[in-house]
Every structure is written in C-alpha cells, then in structure tokens.
Amino acid sequence: MKVTLRIWRQKNNESRGRMESYDLDGVSDHMSFLEMLDLLNEQLTLEGREPVAFDSDCREGICGACGVVINGVAHGRGETTYQTTTCQLHMREFTDGSTITVEPWKAEGFPVLKDLVVDRSAFDRIIQAGGYISAPTGTAPDAHVAPVNKVDADHAFDNATCIGCGACVAACPNGSAMLFTSAKVAHLGLLPQGQPERWSRVLGMVAQHDDEGFGNCTNIGECTAVCPKGIPLESISRLNRDLFKALTRS
C-alpha cells in the first residue's frame, strides 16, 4: 500500500507550525497507525531528515498516551473501526493511494511541544485538585463492608474506564475537558468511599479545569463520539448537578 501523509511539523512551542507532505510506500494493511508512523520515521532517518515526534506507550489501547487527529477526527475513524485509540487503528481502514492528514490535539490547555506531541499535564493538575479519596491505610476491608448499589457500581465503573487521552478535548469545538473531568468526578462521587470530599472535589476540579484554559461544555456531543471508552454525555449532566449542589452548600 502507498499513502501520502500530510503531517503537522512544529519544532517547539515557540515555533510556527506547518503541514508537510510525505509519500510512503510498502505500508502493510496489518500495520497499526503508529507502526505506519514508525515506518515513516525509519524512512526519514535513512534520508537524514528529522523524524516525526509523536506520543505512544502501551500500544494496546489502555494508557491513552497516543493521540492525534486523523483526517479531522480525534484518534481517527475507519469504515469498521469506531471509538478507538490511535494505536488500535489499523491501515486496513485506509485505501491504497489515499492522502491522510495528521495533526496534534489542538486546544489552549494542550500546548504543542513538538510535531504531534502536546503537553497534557493539565489533566494531572485537574486530578490533583480533587480526584482522590481520603482513606486510612492498612489492611484492605472486607468486600461486603461497604455495600454499593449495582446501578451506581456499574455507572462508577463505566466512568472509571476513562484513560485520560484527551480526545474529548480535541474533538470539542470549545476545547472543553468536561467529559474527562466529569468521568473523574463521577466514578468517585458514586461510591461510598468518595462521599467525604464529594462537594469539595467537584468545586476544585471544575475550578482547575477553567484555570487550565479549557472551554465550556455546550452539549454538542463530539466528545462522546470519539471517546475510546464510550464515556457517556450523561456524566457531564451528573457533574453539573453536583456542582450546583456544591455551590448552594458553600
């Protein structure tokens, strides 16, 4: 397979970025998208040119480190692949001779470090603002000590699957990180262990979200459409209800 890649190149955060085109031959349809980028970098290195910088780690759709906008869609999307991570998108989703546009996440809260690599430490600071519980250390309690309603347990687990990749931000026209923030608020706020900090948690994390420069949610729904773990838009509604209650209590 032969493809033409239009890739965003940017030396650092202070530099002006640009799109560059590369022709790449010998692409196997069994390759993942990241393996295809590896092949491109091998070609660029042999030619004495600067390879394309991009993030990756587990390459198993678990860690959320990989993340680029492919043909205008965060993480990309094929005819048979939906709600995936970049590392789990395969080249069989593209046709021979196609042109593929690859860009980094673009949001105020995710400054570009180099090429396709962005700084996502804003997510870490949102977590530090309240994404934890106070619990005594020591021997783990018995499983039946704190009964949890199954519906709440299922919703908590669904939100806990968020891998913090940032696709929701990249897809949102407002550059909002509310889906990420709401998932981290919900999976703790639904469980008994998360109740002591429930109200301070939502106030702190939303305030940090806004301080990082992320936009407001206007319920467009693009975030859920690209989320690899399918975090529902309902999570944002739950966050808004908790935020309202927290504000009225303060």
Side-chain angles (χ1 to χ4, degrees):
M1 180 189 295
K2 182 177 181 179
V3 296
T4 298
L5 298 169
R6 296 182 64 250
I7 299 181
W8 182 263
R9 302 303 307 264
Q10 187 170 336
K11 186 176 181 180
N12 52 49
N13 186 246
E14 304 299 325
S15 303
R16 188 181 182 88
R18 66 195 183 283
M19 298 298 293
E20 290 189 0
S21 294
Y22 306 96
D23 292 325
L24 186 62
D25 204 350
V27 177
S28 167
D29 58 0
H30 297 298
M31 285 181 174
S32 71
F33 198 86
L34 295 188
E35 288 172 332
M36 180 274 296
L37 291 180
D38 289 336
L39 182 64
L40 171 65
N41 280 344
E42 288 178 12
Q43 175 178 301
L44 293 176
T45 300
L46 290 173
E47 294 173 354
R49 302 163 71 184
E50 181 77 15
V52 177
F54 63 92
D55 270 331
S56 70
D57 192 1
C58 74
R59 299 201 178 200
E60 295 179 350
I62 298 172
C63 70
C66 66
V68 292
V69 176
I70 303 168
N71 290 339
V73 178
H75 284 308
R77 181 180 299 165
E79 294 182 3
T80 61
T81 303
Y82 178 67
Q83 289 186 319
T84 185
T85 52
T86 302
C87 62
Q88 295 295 290
L89 181 69
H90 289 81
M91 294 309 296
R92 56 178 170 268
E93 301 291 348
F94 302 91
T95 57
D96 186 24
S98 60
T99 297
I100 305 171
T101 300
V102 190
E103 303 167 275
W105 291 164
K106 290 185 178 179
E108 183 178 342
F110 289 158
V112 175
L113 297 178
K114 184 176 182 180
D115 297 339
L116 305 177
V117 179
V118 300
D119 181 358
R120 282 178 283 191
S121 60
F123 273 12
D124 297 329
R125 291 188 289 274
I126 292 175
I127 293 293
Q128 291 166 3
Y132 52 83
I133 62 171
S134 294
T137 59
T139 305
D142 292 335
H144 65 280
V145 169
V148 182
N149 177 281
K150 186 179 187 308
V151 174
D152 289 341
D154 289 344
H155 285 315
F157 180 82
D158 290 343
N159 283 281
T161 60
C162 170
I163 57 177
C165 65
C168 52
V169 177
C172 178
N174 305 324
S176 174
M178 275 299 178
L179 191 67
F180 164 81
T181 305
S182 66
K184 299 305 178 183
V185 167
H187 91 263
L188 295 174
L190 284 165
L191 299 176
Q193 298 91 333
Q195 297 311 304
E197 292 96 5
R198 181 173 179 178
W199 311 116
S200 61
R201 175 183 302 115
V202 68
L203 289 172
M205 293 181 73
V206 170
Q208 188 64 42
H209 168 281
D210 295 346
D211 287 345
E212 295 294 343
F214 295 114
N216 293 322
C217 172
T218 50
N219 293 315
I220 294 172
E222 284 296 313
C223 52
T224 62
V226 300
C227 175
K229 301 304 176 181
I231 306 299
L233 200 62
E234 171 192 340
S235 298
I236 300 178
S237 299
R238 189 183 300 277
L239 177 144
N240 287 333
R241 289 195 296 271
D242 271 16
L243 180 61
F244 178 77
K245 290 179 182 178
L247 290 170
T248 56
R249 291 165 63 95
S250 59

